[in-house]
Amino acid sequence: MSDKAENLTDLADRYGSDKGSTKHRYTELYHMLFHPYRRRKITFLEMGLLIGGPEHGIDKDRKTEDCPSIRMWLEYFPNANIHGLDVSDFSWFKHERFTFHRCDMDDRAEIARAAQEITPAPDIIIDDASHASHHQQNGFLEMFPRLASGGLYVIEDLRWQPEPYEKPGITKTAALFRSFQDDRKFTHSDPAVAEEFNALIPEISACIIEPVKYQRKRRDQVMVVHKR
């Protein structure tokens, strides 16, 4: 495999993923974090497989024709089992190392079911789904306990929440994890949700939140949590 192919940003740009240099630049961070996993036989999960869908006012049963980031991950991790989760149907995408799970992030029971189907336990999870605060929080509460020890949990696009989904008055995910960073305790508008997050603190060894394009004065954008 060529040196160029080993650079995740090059792969993102080649496959048309918005994680690369043309938009978010997440791959610059991911290449540094994920490179030690590069040739290992890991389990990898991405939630949210293609821009569009109900968060943009498009029917969840829309026709889907590409999986740019999944194509990227399959090449970047040549020995990994890659899992994809989405509210829309991507079951047409076939690869011997890819498994698709259709799931509505509004339904924690569906997320829990999908989590049980993903074996062995994921080493890396990326949430690039609807970006609604409660969906991100549902996903974390159900999926983080399933993450392998030493694994990484990423939530993208913290700065944006979709109007069709976002619940009024809910604590934003970025603010939720900022409260943990500041006080080593999660604070949430819903005490029951706060209690669930606080119960996970013993499993969290580190949490970083990076701003848009890594520019200090811009809004929160991507978060990485490391599991003990």
Side-chain angles (χ1 to χ4, degrees), residues 66-79:
D66 197 10
C67 282
S69 61
I70 294 299
R71 296 183 194 277
M72 173 184 73
W73 297 126
L74 284 165
E75 184 166 341
Y76 188 74
F77 296 113
N79 300 309

Side-chain angles (χ1 to χ4, degrees), residues 86-105:
D86 202 284
V87 70
S88 297
D89 185 14
F90 290 83
S91 60
W92 54 265
F93 185 88
K94 304 297 184 182
H95 191 283
E96 62 183 2
R97 292 188 290 110
F98 175 72
T99 305
F100 174 66
H101 309 265
R102 193 166 188 182
C103 178
D104 187 341
M105 300 297 286

Side-chain angles (χ1 to χ4, degrees), residues 115-122 125 142-148 227:
Q116 291 299 317
E117 293 173 353
I118 299 170
T119 57
I125 297 175
E142 295 297 338
M143 289 291 185
F144 185 76
R146 287 279 301 143
L147 187 68
K227 187 171 182 180

